[in-house]
Amino acid sequence: MSSSKSCHKCSQPACYIRPHGKIPLCLTHFNEAFVKRVKKTILDNKLFQRNDRIAVGVSGGKDSIALLNVLHKLRKDFPSELVVITIDEGITNYREDSVKYAKLVAEKFDLEHHIYSFEELFGYSLDQIIAIDAKTERSLGACSFCGILRRRALNIAARKAGADVLCTGHNQDDEAQTVIMNILRGEVLRIMRSSPTPRKKHESLVPRAKPFRRTPEEEIVLYCVLNDLPYQEVSCPYAVEASRGPLRDFMLDYQNKYPSTGINVISSADQILELTSKTEEPMNNNYSKRKIDTCPECGEISSSGQCKVCEVLNYLKKKESS
Ligand code: SF4
């Protein structure tokens, strides 16, 4: 990543060459460009309103640690209040460490920090869920449970913190993979659910914002390393089960040859979203404008009838008693 070239803005040695455009940058100008891109994403997508209370989901991994640092730097540009939320899924020998990094960064910036565990919210840790699920012939896999419960947990935490918006550290690579996953699953219209601009879809749902949506993962790692930001470097032990693993490898390989791939995929998704937002029913009606229901069991939001969280919890109770 480093080179003997000089920065294209000053005479300092470059520490990084941006693959797209082959632009050499020194540490100062890399940091400047990194923060500037996030600021542009916030402005272009109207992520924050003045004086918003912004909840930042911080797991302790590189993305969320870098995100909180950048948002803290940008506080004078976006007068707002930051509050940190962390979800502890209950993954032994993994989450304990990342929670430690989340606590460190919240303390460093003297921010309110709310930590919730799966166990206190849902009655089970992820490890307990996996142990129950392992008794079945057709296991659903850790990431399926984790994704459903963490989404709910983050929303509950952000709502209890009185947040106007919930920021997550999803980066350009995550976003591009999600678009391709939706296409591969035959669910291209799901793209319409993920507008880059936070929208209040329901009073109990805190709108989501992704300031790193246009920032490549590679630059986030470099930002943490160059700025000495400690983060959890060990991967989740269940990550090997994640279905997007092979796609991730493929896209990284493809992106090495064609550096604009990630951003092109995201731009394509934005074009589809823009086009379909002008489309009359019935296509658009199914997704972006669809009605949000309330789950009859827990009262939280649901796309129809019983919500996914109650489905999961009932499934686990049944498996436990069988
Ligand atoms: Fe959860 Fe899967 Fe991510 Fe681990 S890899 S934190 S189980 S979604």
Side-chain angles (χ1 to χ4, degrees):
M1 241 178 267
S2 63
S3 81
S4 53
K5 287 191 175 181
S6 297
C7 174
H8 89 125
K9 288 203 165 184
C10 69
S11 56
Q12 290 298 309
C15 64
Y16 178 64
I17 297 179
R18 270 193 160 168
H20 182 59
K22 302 260 182 277
I23 300 168
L25 294 166
C26 68
L27 172 61
T28 306
H29 289 111
F30 167 75
N31 277 340
E32 192 182 279
F34 187 90
V35 174
K36 197 172 156 191
R37 186 199 271 128
V38 178
K39 187 174 169 183
K40 184 167 167 22
T41 304
I42 294 170
L43 288 171
D44 287 354
N45 298 300
K46 301 184 182 64
L47 297 192
F48 310 142
Q49 307 293 324
R50 207 178 170 78
N51 299 328
D52 264 354
R53 185 166 157 87
I54 302 170
V56 188
V58 178
S59 63
K62 61 182 182 346
D63 301 305
S64 57
I65 293 286
L67 178 63
L68 191 64
N69 274 272
V70 174
L71 292 182
H72 192 263
K73 268 189 191 169
L74 288 172
R75 277 173 109 179
K76 59 180 183 323
D77 298 287
F78 304 101
S80 51
E81 200 180 348
L82 293 176
V83 43
V84 180
I85 57 179
T86 297
I87 306 303
D88 178 354
E89 298 92 344
I91 305 173
T92 310
N93 295 330
Y94 168 68
R95 199 43 100 199
E96 304 89 336
D97 255 7
S98 54
V99 171
K100 192 178 77 191
Y101 291 114
K103 279 183 183 165
L104 272 177
V105 72
E107 276 169 24
K108 175 176 152 190
F109 297 132
D110 196 20
L111 298 173
E112 239 178 74
H113 189 191
H114 303 269
I115 304 175
Y116 291 88
S117 70
F118 272 13
E119 200 160 356
E120 67 178 303
L121 291 173
F122 308 116
Y124 302 95
S125 68
L126 190 64
D127 285 343
Q128 289 167 337
I129 292 174
I130 301 315
I132 298 168
D133 189 48
K135 292 178 194 162
T136 65
E137 270 180 33
R138 287 186 62 224
S139 164
L140 292 181
C143 299
S144 304
F145 292 111
C146 187
I148 292 169
L149 299 182
R150 196 178 40 203
R151 245 190 319 276
R152 171 67 57 82
L154 279 168
N155 189 58
I156 291 174
R159 202 171 63 209
K160 286 192 174 175
D164 299 295
V165 64
L166 166 62
C167 275
T168 59
H170 291 91
N171 60 47
Q172 185 194 104
D173 301 54
D174 300 326
E175 288 297 278
Q177 286 159 24
T178 300
V179 173
I180 301 294
M181 284 293 281
N182 285 332
I183 293 170
L184 294 177
R185 286 178 177 147
E187 297 180 331
V188 68
L189 297 183
R190 286 178 75 102
I191 289 169
M192 282 184 257
R193 282 193 199 170
S194 53
S195 162
T197 302
R199 293 182 304 197
K200 187 87 184 166
K201 296 179 194 161
H202 190 273
E203 58 183 21
S204 68
L205 202 56
V206 181
R208 298 213 169 191
K210 296 171 184 170
F212 276 165
R213 191 173 182 263
R214 292 182 164 261
T215 303
E217 184 172 344
E218 175 185 81
E219 291 195 15
I220 293 172
V221 176
L222 191 63
Y223 184 81
C224 287
V225 171
L226 294 176
N227 293 285
D228 290 325
L229 305 179
Y231 66 90
Q232 162 72 294
E233 294 181 46
V234 175
S235 299
C236 170
Y238 298 122
V240 283
E241 299 173 17
S243 59
R244 65 169 66 199
L247 175 66
R248 185 177 191 274
D249 295 344
F250 165 77
M251 287 188 72
L252 278 176
D253 187 41
Y254 197 80
Q255 213 156 282
N256 279 338
K257 294 187 188 98
Y258 307 103
S260 306
T261 302
I263 202 66
N264 287 347
V265 170
I266 292 173
S267 298
S268 298
D270 287 351
Q271 287 168 42
I272 294 174
L273 182 71
E274 200 186 327
L275 189 71
T276 51
S277 66
K278 294 173 190 157
T279 308
E280 294 302 321
E281 300 179 25
M283 179 170 132
N284 199 25
N285 192 38
N286 288 340
Y287 285 87
S288 60
K289 292 178 185 167
R290 86 175 167 181
K291 185 173 170 288
I292 296 178
D293 252 343
T294 308
C295 172
E297 220 169 310
C298 67
E300 292 284 340
I301 65 139
S302 149
S303 47
S304 69
Q306 190 184 53
C307 70
K308 291 265 181 232
V309 172
C310 286
E311 254 178 50
V312 162
L313 297 180
N314 290 340
Y315 164 85
L316 292 170
K317 279 178 205 146
K318 211 166 124 194
K319 291 291 156 201
E320 248 185 330
S321 58
S322 64

